[in-house]
């Protein structure tokens, strides 16, 4: 049985936790840097990882679910409060777009 999808999901979790942790670490340093990472880098990383995980065999309905909880987990682990709900929703939406794009690319490749 091929478990490429499981490795893709684990790699997505590790990457998203790392990106979210770096974004969360900038909270006391600079509000501008924190906002840029929270509202741009984390959602784009979610989109990219969801697309790559889907391309590697993870179901596209599962690929978009992980980035937003990883953002919450990393932020809560460091500061004991959750990040902006808007940033998490943007991360979830762009992850959904990335997973859909990965599915479309898989379908085109099969033709």
């Amino acid at each position: 049985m091929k478990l490429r999808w499981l490795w893709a999901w684990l790699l997505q979790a590790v990457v998203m936790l790392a990106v979210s942790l770096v974004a969360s670490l900038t909270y006391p340093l600079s509000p501008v840097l924190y906002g840029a990472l929270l509202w741009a880098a984390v959602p784009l990383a979610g989109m990219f990882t969801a697309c790559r995980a889907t391309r590697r065999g993870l179901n596209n309905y599962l690929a978009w679910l992980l980035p937003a909880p990883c953002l919450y987990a990393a932020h809560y682990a460091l500061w004991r409060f959750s990040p902006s709900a808007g940033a998490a929703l943007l991360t979830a939406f762009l992850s959904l777009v990335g997973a859909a794009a990965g599915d479309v690319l898989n379908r085109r490749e099969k033709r």
Side-chain angles (χ1 to χ4, degrees), residues 71-96:
L71 172 62
Y72 271 104
H75 203 279
Y76 190 80
L78 280 176
W79 306 115
R80 295 288 179 224
F81 63 91
S82 61
S84 169
L89 287 173
L90 180 63
T91 301
F93 175 70
L94 288 184
S95 299
L96 179 67

Side-chain angles (χ1 to χ4, degrees), residues 24-73:
S24 297
L25 282 171
T26 62
Y27 176 71
L29 299 177
S30 167
V32 174
L33 179 62
Y34 173 71
L37 291 177
L38 187 67
W39 287 90
V42 174
L44 290 175
M47 183 173 66
F48 177 75
T49 60
C51 182
R52 292 302 304 161
T54 303
R55 296 279 291 155
R56 298 221 178 250
L58 182 62
N59 187 321
N60 64 323
Y61 294 109
L62 293 175
W64 73 272
L65 292 175
L66 198 58
C70 285
L71 172 62
Y72 271 104

